[in-house]
Amino acid sequence: MISLIDLKRQYQNISQEILDSVKEVFESGQYILGTKVAEFEKKCAEYLNVNHAIGVGNGTDALVIALESVGIGKGDEVITTPFTFFATAEAIVRVGARPVFVDIDPLSYNIDPDKIEEKITERTKAIIPVHIFGHVCDMKKIVQIAKKYNLYIIEDACQAFGAEFEGKKAGTIGDVGCFSFFPTKNLGGFGDGGLIVTDSDEIASKARMLRQHGSKKKYFNEMIGFNSRLDEVQAAILLVKLKYIDSWNRRRIEIAQKFSQELKLDGLVTPKKCNSFEFGHIYHLYILQHEKRENLMEYLAQKGIATGIYYPVPLHLTKALSFLGYKEGDFEIAEKLCKKSFAIPMFPELTDEEIEYITTSINQFGGSLQ
Ligand SMILES: *Cc1c(COP(=O)(O)O)cnc(C)c1O
């Protein structure tokens, strides 16, 4: 069986380095916010070319803390996409604000910048563009809109570590960027982890306080915060993995190019890269569309090829967000994509033989189950 992502292969390639790094933590006796987290934050800030990087417990907390750090709360509206992982909207609701959805662009699958302005009201405080599947949003247009209406941009870059737009790394184009190190993300730990990045001293200082019970100095709490710190052990692992991120992203791009060149099945829609930057799409996931998705997925399962659906339900139709009052038909492009798209295996360690097996299997699909 070729799985969607095989994390064990990556570990096998770098196991000694990981074990050495983790051992240093175990032997240090310093398990919360020690030298590994500090070093990882510094290395991330350098790599991303941003002033501040703050390790937090996970990507969801990164979003919640980022929103609070720029002062978003009750009564505020935040514009985002309905085609994302639930956490994007969950974080907005968690701080007391209201998610306002804007449909996606049918080619990029990212929020359609041309539909943002019509959703802006006097309560709108921020836009959360999500670089879905590692494909960077059209940040030029989004930055223009944010400037015109004086809105914050909080980038959900949870699927896009190392992706770029016009020479800047995803997550560093807006006011704040949020990353997740969930194991299956393109930069993933061996557990939960997250990161907030910003050039603003003020936002950084607030985020640093919020992750630690609202305190700069222990027991001198200045505000109500969270207990949400990047774990020292995860930082030790991520420090090793950070060295490989460019080569892994490059391999993802190479695999995606092979897939897109070789896949020829009638009616199959392959991902479209909507910018010209080398790392403008780092293919956190490789997403296809087909009218007979269910049949094709079952056929591939019989061939020993795993598939998955990202995402089966657009956020405006989830039960949890039904209180927002959206209905079916409100965001037709996102809804259609949820019905037709599916992911095939994508991870840097996929072999050329596996890539070929996957493409020939898909190309041989006869339309129904054989
Ligand atoms: C994974 C993910 C998150 C949440 O990250 P966690 O670390 O799982 O909390 C948020 N947004 C997007 C787009 C994600 O893919």
Side-chain angles (χ1 to χ4, degrees):
M1 189 80 187
I2 308 174
S3 44
L4 273 177
I5 176 168
D6 185 346
L7 296 170
K8 282 181 291 186
R9 281 194 211 171
Q10 187 165 83
Y11 172 63
Q12 278 151 13
N13 290 340
I14 53 170
S15 60
Q16 201 50 55
E17 274 186 281
I18 300 250
L19 291 173
D20 289 346
S21 189
V22 165
K23 190 161 170 261
E24 284 175 35
V25 177
F26 290 165
E27 289 176 352
S28 74
Q30 221 185 352
Y31 305 130
I32 297 286
L33 293 185
T35 54
K36 292 286 185 188
V37 170
E39 195 186 336
F40 179 66
E41 290 177 340
K42 188 166 167 272
K43 289 264 160 69
C44 281
E46 280 168 18
Y47 173 84
L48 298 167
N49 194 19
V50 68
N51 288 344
H52 305 280
I54 300 133
V56 293
N58 53 68
T60 309
D61 284 359
L63 288 162
V64 171
I65 293 173
L67 283 159
E68 281 208 9
S69 298
V70 302
I72 287 164
K74 224 175 149 108
D76 296 335
E77 291 178 358
V78 178
I79 288 176
T80 194
T81 165
F83 190 71
T84 174
F85 179 58
F86 184 65
T88 313
E90 188 179 33
I92 297 168
V93 177
R94 187 46 73 197
V95 301
R98 186 179 177 87
V100 173
F101 295 118
V102 168
D103 209 354
I104 55 171
D105 172 85
L107 294 181
S108 71
Y109 307 159
N110 281 322
I111 191 166
D112 186 341
D114 296 331
K115 292 180 180 163
I116 291 177
E117 277 193 80
E118 64 202 59
K119 296 291 174 66
I120 294 173
T121 72
E122 67 239 23
R123 288 182 298 278
T124 310
K125 292 283 154 56
I127 306 170
I128 303 188
V130 181
H131 307 304
I132 204 74
F133 310 138
H135 193 186
V136 184
C137 294
D138 185 344
M139 291 308 292
K140 199 170 176 171
K141 281 191 184 167
I142 293 170
V143 167
Q144 272 169 6
I145 296 165
K147 280 211 174 110
K148 184 170 166 193
Y149 294 92
N150 201 19
L151 307 175
Y152 286 108
I153 297 176
I154 297 168
E155 292 175 71
D156 183 338
C158 288
Q159 302 185 0
F161 197 99
E164 62 167 346
F165 188 90
E166 284 183 337
K168 284 189 176 179
K169 293 284 183 197
T172 70
I173 305 155
D175 300 282
V176 201
C178 300
F179 294 95
S180 164
F181 304 122
F182 185 83
T184 58
K185 301 288 155 106
N186 70 310
L187 179 62
F190 291 7
D192 282 306
L195 191 80
I196 297 169
V197 299
T198 182
D199 278 327
S200 155
D201 296 346
E202 198 188 327
I203 295 171
S205 155
K206 202 141 175 226
R208 271 190 196 283
M209 280 165 69
L210 284 171
R211 77 168 170 184
Q212 277 252 71
H213 307 288
S215 61
K216 279 193 194 112
K217 198 171 150 199
K218 209 169 182 183
Y219 309 124
F220 291 83
N221 311 80
E222 297 175 41
M223 58 173 93
I224 301 298
F226 302 85
N227 176 359
S228 183
R229 300 163 294 221
L230 178 62
D231 191 83
E232 188 72 1
V233 172
Q234 298 307 329
I237 293 163
L238 291 163
L239 262 171
V240 172
K241 287 192 163 199
L242 182 61
K243 295 189 290 186
Y244 298 97
I245 191 66
D246 278 351
S247 66
W248 287 337
N249 281 341
R250 233 177 241 121
R251 175 67 180 157
R252 285 176 182 276
I253 293 165
E254 184 181 77
I255 295 168
Q257 280 167 350
K258 280 183 203 253
F259 278 148
S260 296
Q261 266 161 30
E262 302 301 326
L263 286 170
K264 303 209 157 73
L265 178 69
D266 260 4
L268 193 72
V269 181
T270 55
K272 303 281 175 293
K273 186 179 173 224
C274 297
N275 60 59
S276 57
F277 314 116
E278 184 187 0
F279 291 98
H281 195 333
I282 50 90
Y283 301 94
H284 165 62
L285 289 170
Y286 187 86
I287 300 294
L288 294 167
Q289 288 186 68
H290 197 272
E291 291 291 336
K292 292 190 173 167
R293 171 178 79 178
E294 267 66 32
N295 284 356
L296 183 46
M297 287 174 69
E298 205 177 318
Y299 159 83
L300 289 173
Q302 286 169 5
K303 292 264 178 188
I305 298 165
T307 55
I309 298 177
Y310 302 86
Y311 297 89
V313 187
L315 295 192
H316 66 289
L317 300 181
T318 57
K319 187 177 166 196
L321 296 172
S322 60
F323 73 94
L324 294 171
Y326 289 109
K327 58 183 189 316
E328 199 155 352
D330 282 346
F331 306 107
E332 284 178 342
I333 301 166
E335 288 168 22
K336 195 173 146 220
L337 195 56
C338 289
K339 291 194 182 112
K340 294 192 176 155
S341 64
F342 65 103
I344 58 172
M346 168 55 86
F347 53 96
E349 297 77 19
L350 262 183
T351 66
D352 289 347
E353 292 71 38
E354 286 171 326
I355 295 164
E356 200 185 319
Y357 177 70
I358 294 166
T359 50
T360 40
S361 298
I362 292 174
N363 287 342
Q364 283 165 4
F365 175 62
S368 57
L369 295 175
Q370 276 109 354

